[in-house]
């Protein structure tokens, strides 16, 4: 995917317009995926920005622009997983409703239930479920995005779904994923 033949990106580069178009078309989708991974719009925005910065820096070296969506999704996932590994050692303490922020609009009960259930999953299980059932990727595509085997994808999906079934109880069968809407 990455070719080493072109120079690094910088401000005012000839490919800025091309990247800006891609950013405009895909930022919302990447932010939605990031939200499903982390469950917080502010953190999703940070993940998306970090991933798009990495993508911008690699842009001139990308040789296959037909596979950009898969590559961008992989960057979001890896950024999320790396941040989660780092945060194990330095946990920030977040409050439910900081006094300086207005309350977010209420999400639908179903979406809130799914978001809360996803939040209890291990990051890798959450990533697998988001890619398989929200992004609608195949087992092979999910394995490629996460850099793991198809067996790992299947076992993580199985464990994640079992946890969701236990957590959601009788509500599990009636749930479907819908694209998250920003809570801002």
């Amino acid at each position: 995917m990455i070719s080493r033949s072109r120079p690094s990106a910088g401000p005012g580069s000839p490919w800025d317009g091309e990247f800006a178009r891609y950013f405009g078309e895909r930022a919302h989708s990447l932010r939605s995926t990031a939200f499903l991974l982390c469950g917080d719009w502010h953190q999703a925005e940070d993940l998306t920005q970090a991933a798009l910065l990495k993508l911008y820096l690699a842009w001139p070296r990308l040789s296959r622009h037909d596979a950009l969506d898969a590559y961008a999704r992989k960057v979001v996932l890896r950024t999320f997983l790396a941040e989660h590994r780092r945060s194990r050692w330095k946990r920030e303490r977040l409050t439910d409703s900081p006094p300086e922020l207005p309350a977010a609009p209420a999400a639908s009960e179903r979406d809130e239930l799914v978001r809360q259930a996803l939040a209890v999953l291990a990051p890798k299980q959450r990533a697998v479920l988001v890619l398989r059932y929200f992004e609608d990727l195949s087992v092979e595509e999910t394995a490629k995005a996460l850099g793991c085997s198809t067996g790992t994808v299947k076992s993580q999906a199985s464990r994640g779904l079992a946890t969701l079934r236990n957590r959601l109880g009788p509500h599990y069968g009636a749930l479907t994923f819908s694209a998250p809407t920003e809570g801002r």
Side-chain angles (χ1 to χ4, degrees):
M1 177 78 189
I2 295 184
S3 163
R4 300 287 177 203
S5 62
R6 291 196 261 174
S8 296
S13 301
W15 48 84
D16 278 354
E18 186 180 348
F19 179 81
R21 273 189 303 282
Y22 181 79
F23 176 90
E25 293 169 0
R26 301 300 298 154
H28 181 73
S29 174
L30 292 173
R31 190 172 31 251
S32 295
T33 299
F35 173 76
L36 287 171
L37 290 169
C38 66
D40 176 80
W41 282 113
H42 296 289
Q43 188 180 5
E45 183 70 32
D46 292 344
L47 282 172
T48 305
Q49 286 179 5
L52 285 169
L53 174 62
K54 291 174 185 178
L55 185 64
Y56 176 76
L57 293 174
W59 192 266
R61 298 180 311 223
L62 297 176
S63 59
R64 292 188 47 219
H65 283 230
D66 60 322
L68 277 176
D69 290 342
Y71 183 71
R73 192 172 31 253
K74 183 183 255 186
V75 173
V76 169
L77 284 165
R78 288 187 174 173
T79 303
F80 165 73
L81 292 171
E83 181 60 33
H84 185 74
R85 279 190 297 272
R86 268 195 303 273
S87 70
R88 247 188 268 171
W89 300 108
K90 61 167 193 141
R91 294 239 186 243
E92 291 182 21
R93 303 292 178 214
L94 301 176
T95 61
D96 287 340
S97 56
E100 67 275 3
L101 297 176
S108 78
E109 189 175 319
R110 183 200 61 202
D111 288 349
E112 183 63 21
L113 205 65
V114 171
R115 189 193 65 73
Q116 288 174 359
L118 282 172
V120 302
L121 297 176
K124 192 102 172 197
Q125 288 177 1
R126 194 176 328 154
V128 166
L129 292 182
V130 166
L131 290 175
R132 288 283 291 127
Y133 303 108
F134 176 74
E135 293 286 334
D136 203 27
L137 297 183
S138 69
V139 171
E140 292 77 17
E141 291 168 327
T142 302
K144 187 175 179 182
L146 291 171
C148 63
S149 70
T150 57
T152 300
V153 170
K154 291 174 186 178
S155 67
Q156 292 292 314
S158 176
R159 289 182 188 131
L161 289 173
T163 301
L164 288 179
R165 273 187 211 99
N166 289 335
R167 178 100 172 143
L168 297 171
H171 302 290
Y172 179 78
L175 293 178
T176 58
F177 264 127
S178 63
T181 55
E182 289 194 45
R184 294 184 197 189

